[in-house]
Amino acid sequence: MVAVFKRELIQVIPNPPNERTFTLSTVTDKGHYISLRPLVKPTTEEEKKFPFEWGFGGRNTSVEIINVNSNSFKQNFVFELDLNEYLQIPNTHSGLINTLWTTWDSGCLEETGELFPFGKNKESVAFRELWQPIDPSKSVDFDHLTLKDGDDAHNGSKETSVALHIDNDTFVGLVVVAGNILQGILFKKNDNTIKGTNFIRGIIASEEKKEFTYSIKYGEDVTSFPLDLFTKHDSIKVGDVISQWKVIESNL
C-alpha cells in the first residue's frame, strides 16, 4: 500500500506534546520507507547549520507489521539508515523499535512506543506521535497537501511506487517515490559527520512533465541522487541501475 503520513505532534513522555518539524513518512507499495524530519524554524546556530531533527529509512526487510485488530497494528523497525547512528550521537537507541499504531475516527493514526537510548537493560523513554494520512497521488504542492480523513484514510493509493537503493564503496542510500512525493537519504561511508549526510524531498507538480520540484536538497553529494528520475528515464524496471542506484521496486 502506497502511503504518505505527515506528523502533527510528538510527545516524549512526560513532557508536553510539541512539533518543530515538517515530518513526512513515505512508504512504497512493497513497504520500503523513509521518514525525513526537517526543522520548520531552526533557532540555534547548530540547528541553522543542520536543520534536521532526524531522518531514517529502510527496505521492507527491516520492518515487520502485525495486525492487532481492525483499528490497530504493531510495527517493528530496525532502521537500515539512521541519522543518529550515522552521526554516532551519544545515547542513541540501537536495534529493534516496537511501536503500536491506532487509527482514530478522524483517520489520524496515533503511534506509541519506547526507546532505549541508554541501553536495552536501562530505563526506557516512552513516546507518542500523531500522524495525518496524506493522499500522495493528489498532492502537488507541499504547502497544500491533500489530506485523507475518515474511512478514506484506510484506502491506500495504487499510484506510482518506486524505490531505489545504493550500496557501494562510497555511499549507502535509499530513494522512495510514493505517488507524487519523493524522499531520499544518502550517507557517505566512513565519514559519520553532517558533511557525509544528504537528504532530498520533492513533489511532482505536473503530471505531464513528471518533473520533481524539490523543497529539500541538502548535502555536499546531493547531485548523486537520481534527481531527474522520470524526465531522463522513460521506463524504470526492477533490476535497472540508474546512476549507480539499483531499482528494487517499480510500479508506474
Side-chain angles (χ1 to χ4, degrees):
M1 181 182 79
V2 177
V4 176
F5 301 98
K6 181 179 184 294
R7 194 176 70 183
E8 299 297 339
L9 69 82
I10 179 171
Q11 182 179 18
V12 179
I13 299 169
N15 299 319
N18 192 9
E19 184 54 79
R20 298 189 62 216
T21 75
F22 184 3
T23 290
L24 289 180
S25 292
T26 43
V27 186
T28 69
D29 185 57
K30 300 295 185 182
H32 309 297
Y33 63 94
I34 287 178
S35 186
L36 292 186
R37 307 176 175 201
L39 295 167
V40 175
K41 295 180 180 180
T43 55
T44 67
E45 288 304 314
E46 185 178 21
E47 288 179 350
K48 291 175 182 178
K49 183 179 179 182
F50 188 69
F52 295 93
E53 176 196 76
W54 196 13
F56 61 81
R59 291 170 291 180
N60 55 13
T61 51
S62 67
V63 60
E64 177 188 29
I65 296 177
I66 303 170
N67 287 323
V68 177
N69 53 47
S70 59
N71 287 322
S72 62
F73 61 91
K74 294 179 180 179
Q75 196 164 28
N76 305 322
F77 300 93
V78 178
F79 303 139
E80 289 185 74
L81 299 163
D82 184 336
L83 174 64
N84 291 343
E85 284 198 358
Y86 177 75
L87 296 179
Q88 299 177 347
I89 294 175
N91 298 328
T92 292
H93 177 101
S94 180
L96 190 67
I97 297 177
N98 304 111
T99 65
L100 175 67
W101 294 66
T102 302
T103 304
W104 292 4
D105 289 346
S106 66
C108 290
L109 286 88
E110 179 188 47
E111 178 190 10
T112 56
E114 288 182 317
L115 298 175
F116 294 86
F118 311 110
K120 191 63 179 177
N121 297 322
K122 302 290 180 64
E123 183 180 1
S124 66
V125 175
F127 69 91
R128 172 176 173 258
E129 295 174 277
L130 185 65
W131 299 88
Q132 168 67 58
I134 302 297
D135 190 324
S137 62
K138 294 179 181 177
S139 297
V140 295
D141 186 337
F142 284 122
D143 292 326
H144 305 92
L145 293 171
T146 302
L147 306 183
K148 286 187 174 183
D149 55 37
D151 292 337
D152 191 39
H154 300 280
N155 299 320
S157 167
K158 292 299 181 183
E159 299 299 323
T160 300
S161 181
V162 177
L164 301 95
H165 183 255
I166 189 170
D167 188 354
N168 57 28
D169 291 340
T170 307
F171 295 112
V172 59
L174 184 69
V175 167
V176 161
V177 183
N180 291 340
I181 298 175
L182 176 151
Q183 295 197 118
I185 297 176
L186 182 66
F187 293 148
K188 197 169 207 175
K189 291 184 175 179
N190 304 315
D191 187 303
N192 301 105
T193 71
I194 60 174
K195 288 186 177 181
T197 301
N198 304 271
F199 297 127
I200 54 171
R201 175 185 288 169
I203 196 164
I204 294 179
S206 168
E207 281 295 321
E208 291 74 26
K209 291 185 178 180
K210 286 287 186 183
E211 276 185 313
F212 286 101
T213 299
Y214 287 93
S215 64
I216 297 173
K217 289 173 77 173
Y218 179 91
E220 294 185 356
D221 297 296
V222 73
T223 56
S224 296
F225 282 111
L227 297 172
D228 47 9
L229 181 62
F230 294 145
T231 53
K232 277 199 171 181
H233 303 277
D234 294 331
S235 72
I236 299 173
K237 305 183 299 297
V238 172
D240 286 351
V241 177
I242 299 173
S243 301
Q244 300 187 61
W245 292 78
K246 183 177 182 180
V247 179
I248 59 174
E249 178 181 346
S250 181
N251 179 24
L252 301 176

